[in-house]
């Protein structure tokens, strides 16, 4: 079938248009038309090519992703070796390089091309008569792997070079070299997807870029969204050519190849140093990773002279690093080390943060021996064991992070990391509430790590409102050892206070008066002041209104907390954990003791028609109860009901016992001391009455 001339022309025009818009979008980052318009043009070309297959050209924009997966990568020999760069890690090494260059050229000052050192992998692109014919990885510098099909999927790589006027045309054979890399955004998307699919997660963008390019199936490469910047030339034949590196980059950019917009020429070593510093600043704003900057003697004739001299010095031996270029590296931000131990630090709010103790390693210009593991979820997600080899990363001044474990290097018998049951600072229980990543110490009133925050909160306006006791003063009091918990505030004397720095007699007296005023408060404020996790003002008010009594709250089982508005299982767990810590109870007792804190509040009026009414007004409210003998319901159920009525149920009879509930076959031991301790006896019938009253009210409450 012959193709009508008009269709042939239309196909050619569409190809030119698509190449043009592709360059605007992917190379210049400056599109002229909406994506939908681009798609329309592409579809039109696809339709034409489907109607007339002979219209298809290998460099047609429709042919980026094509063909079957490869069986293996073919080997490619580079016409000119792909060299690497010498590195400078400090200014002195850079100055030494510049001195060698100046001596070699017998000149005072040299012009350098300065460019970012992209952290990806080197690639060679061969264009014959303007068409991309081959792409290859660096390999060992002499032989690499052919990845043409994969590189064709990189949208910024032109399949055909732009045609310019005669004297500015590309040479018949043009090899350009550059770096394939991934933006942070693409890298994150690839890893997010890998994580979702349970596939391998990459440690950094460079590994992900290499893994994406070396895919036998180019469709996989296409989906990864690789980028490319060209930074130099390889073999070139058959055209007038340029005199300098910077000019050659400008030319290849004009032919449609992507070149870093950060490239610029600088004068002398001082220009290099300034560029290095400026790039260090810009680095954070770049969308991709760079690990240094590269300086190249700009004038080709000077490059050649330096290469010849170096070759003479080396008596013709192979030169892997050109004498005319150097990479000035930024301090490494990622390093490999081992986890020697994991310790838990307690923060000022009681949060436990696992910290990895590492074998010391040089990282970003410092020696690093600690890294944060954030929380237990992170440890589980990264599956960190003591003894593991890990990647650590440091970004800016923050504490280094453990990025990833190398499971293949895990020694036999490596220990998984367990959350400690007790706070490493105060030994109170550690609570990790259901569904929460963060584990916390529950000894909020007592724990030395939480001291300052606990006291600041206790004194704050909506808590006990101790006027004049600001954050600074709290810190001062804790630091000089006068106060370790909120109760200690009430033991402060005028002498102690006026002895403090920046504290006059008058302010000291004012503070004592304010402390005195704070002694008369409300139950709601007091509960709020305790700083129980998740118990804000509203919850504190609800708790005060419901229990009317602090001891009833302290003893309340979960079943008595859950019916209260705003309290779910997590808040209930925090409340119970807080009151189950003996140290917290000690501080509360000190606060209430007439000899020390002497804090008091009026018993809140019992609300009407609320389950709490029962607890507050029941004859068992606040009573310590012991059960003996068999009753007509399970002991646990009776215990729960008694507790809901405000009773505290204990197992052994003592002088503190108020009531003994006696069922069938009571224990002799218990009855023996009844008279001596003055305990009231409640039999099964009376108990049924009391619980019945509860049942009736409970129903009235939930219906009304
Ligand atoms: S020039 C003859 N320029 O760094 C010089 N390399 O250690 C050859 N790289 O293999 C390289 N950014 O993969 C040059 N602007 C840049 C670069 C750069 C990254 C990589 C490249 C090379 C390695 C050298």
């Amino acid at each position: 079938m012959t193709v009508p001339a008009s269709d042939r022309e239309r196909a050619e025009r569409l190809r030119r248009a698509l190449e043009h818009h592709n360059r605007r979008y992917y190379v210049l980052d400056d599109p002229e038309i909406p994506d939908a318009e681009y798609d329309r043009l592409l579809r039109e070309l696809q339709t034409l090519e489907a109607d007339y297959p002979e219209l298809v050209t290998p460099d047609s924009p429709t042919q980026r992703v094509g063909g079957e997966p490869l069986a293996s990568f073919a080997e490619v020999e580079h016409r000119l070796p792909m060299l690497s760069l010498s590195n400078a890690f400090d200014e002195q090494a850079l100055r030494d390089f510049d001195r060698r260059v100046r001596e070699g050229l017998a000149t005072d000052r040299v012009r350098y091309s300065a460019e970012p050192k992209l952290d990806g992998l080197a690639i060679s692109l061969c264009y014959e008569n303007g068409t991309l014919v081959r792409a290859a990885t660096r390999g060992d510098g002499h032989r690499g792997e052919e990845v043409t099909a994969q590189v064709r999927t990189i949208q910024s790589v032109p399949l055909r070079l732009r045609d310019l006027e005669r004297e500015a045309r590309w040479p018949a054979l043009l090899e350009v070299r550059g770096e394939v890399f991934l933006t942070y955004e693409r890298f994150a998307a690839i890893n997010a997807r890998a994580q979702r699919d349970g596939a391998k997660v990459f440690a950094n963008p460079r590994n992900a870029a290499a893994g994406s390019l070396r895919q036998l199936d180019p469709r996989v490469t296409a989906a990864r969204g690789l980028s490319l910047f060209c930074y130099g030339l390889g073999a070139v034949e058959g055209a007038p050519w340029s005199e300098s590196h910077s000019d050659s980059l400008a030319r290849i950019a004009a032919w449609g190849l992507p070149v870093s917009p950060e490239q610029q020429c600088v004068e002398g070593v001082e220009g290099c140093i300034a560029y290095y510093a400026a790039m260090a600043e810009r680095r954070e704003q770049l969308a991709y990773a760079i690990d240094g900057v590269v300086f190249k003697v700009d004038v080709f004739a000077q490059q050649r002279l330096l290469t010849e001299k170096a070759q003479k010095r080396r008596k013709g031996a192979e030169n892997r690093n050109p004498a005319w270029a150097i990479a000035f590296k930024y301090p490494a931000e990622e390093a490999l080390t081992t986890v020697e131990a994991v310790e838990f630090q307690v923060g000022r709010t009681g949060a436990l943060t696992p910290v990895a103790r590492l074998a010391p390693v040089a990282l970003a210009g410092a020696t690093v021996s600690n890294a944060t593991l954030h929380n237990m979820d992170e440890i589980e997600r990264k599956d960190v064991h003591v003894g593991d080899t890990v990647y650590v990363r440091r970004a800016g001044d923050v504490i280094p992070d453990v990025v990833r474990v190398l499971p293949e290097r895990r020694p036999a018998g490596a220990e998984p990391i367990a959350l400690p049951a007790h706070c490493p600072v105060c030994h109170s229980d550690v609570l990790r509430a259901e569904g929460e990543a963060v584990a916390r110490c529950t000894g909020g009133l007592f724990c030395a790590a939480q001291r300052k925050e606990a006291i600041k909160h206790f004194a704050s306006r909506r808590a006990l409102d101790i006027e004049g006791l600001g954050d600074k003063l709290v810190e001062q009091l804790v630091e000089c050892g006068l106060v370790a918990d909120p109760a200690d505030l009430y033991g402060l004397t005028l002498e102690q206070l006026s002895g403090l720095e920046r504290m006059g007699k008058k302010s000291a007296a004012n503070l004592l008066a304010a402390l005195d005023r704070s002694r008369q408060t409300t139950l709601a404020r007091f509960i709020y002041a305790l700083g129980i996790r998740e118990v804000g003002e509203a919850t504190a008010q609800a708790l005060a209104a419901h229990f009317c009594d602090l001891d009833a709250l302290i003893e309340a089982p979960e079943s008595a907390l859950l019916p209260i508005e705003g309290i779910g299982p997590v808040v209930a767990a925090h409340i119970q954990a807080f009151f189950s810590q003996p140290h917290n109870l000690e501080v509360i007792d000190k606060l209430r003791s007439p000899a020390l804190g002497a804090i008091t509040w009026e018993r809140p009026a019992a609300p009407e028609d609320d389950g709490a009414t029962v607890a507050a007004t029941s004859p068992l409210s606040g009573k310590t109860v012991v059960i003996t003998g068999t009753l007509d319901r399970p002991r646990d159920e009776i215990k729960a009901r008694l507790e809901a009525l405000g009773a505290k149920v204990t197992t052994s009879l003592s002088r503190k016992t108020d009531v003994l509930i006696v069922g069938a076959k009571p224990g002799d031991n218990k009855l023996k001391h009844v008279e001596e301790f003055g305990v009231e006896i409640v039999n099964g019938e009376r108990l049924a009455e009391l619980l019945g009253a509860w049942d009736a009210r409970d129903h009235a409450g939930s219906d009304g």
Side-chain angles (χ1 to χ4, degrees), residues 540-612:
Q541 273 159 8
L543 288 168
H546 185 97
F547 289 99
C548 304
D549 176 61
L550 184 62
D551 290 304
L553 169 62
I554 290 175
E555 297 292 336
E558 190 188 27
S559 59
L561 292 168
L562 289 179
I564 300 168
E565 173 125 359
I567 297 191
V570 171
V571 185
H574 282 298
I575 294 171
Q576 288 202 295
F578 182 89
F579 288 122
S580 66
Q581 303 314 305
H583 288 314
N584 288 339
L585 296 180
E586 275 165 32
V587 177
I588 291 173
D589 280 346
K590 281 205 285 179
L591 285 165
R592 287 197 291 184
S593 91
L596 189 56
I599 291 173
T600 59
W601 53 84
E602 267 175 38
R603 191 186 173 84
E608 281 170 25
D609 252 344
D610 178 318

Side-chain angles (χ1 to χ4, degrees), residues 360-436:
V361 60
L363 183 63
T367 301
V368 162
S369 46
N370 299 310
T372 178
L373 287 163
H374 300 286
N375 56 50
M376 289 308 291
D377 271 5
E378 284 288 295
I379 290 181
E380 282 154 27
R381 195 172 64 73
K382 291 175 184 159
D383 190 28
V384 184
H385 286 43
V386 173
D388 270 344
T389 298
V390 294
Y391 269 108
V392 286
R393 178 194 300 152
R394 202 171 91 153
D397 288 333
V398 299
I399 314 166
D401 236 342
V402 170
V403 185
R404 189 172 74 92
V405 166
L406 274 67
E408 62 276 19
R409 295 220 206 159
R410 175 168 296 160
E415 286 286 321
I417 293 154
L419 181 68
H422 301 288
C423 170
V425 174
C426 77
H427 307 292
S428 295
D429 291 347
V430 166
L431 176 71
R432 184 182 179 194
E434 180 100 14
E436 282 186 16

Side-chain angles (χ1 to χ4, degrees), residues 603-642:
R603 191 186 173 84
E608 281 170 25
D609 252 344
D610 178 318
T613 323
V614 181
T617 58
S618 113
L620 290 173
S621 173
K623 297 274 167 72
T624 300
V625 177
V626 173
I627 305 171
T628 182
T630 314
L631 295 156
D632 58 357
R633 298 191 205 193
R635 186 73 74 91
D636 278 348
E637 187 187 326
I638 291 175
K639 182 168 181 269
R641 282 166 173 254
L642 289 168

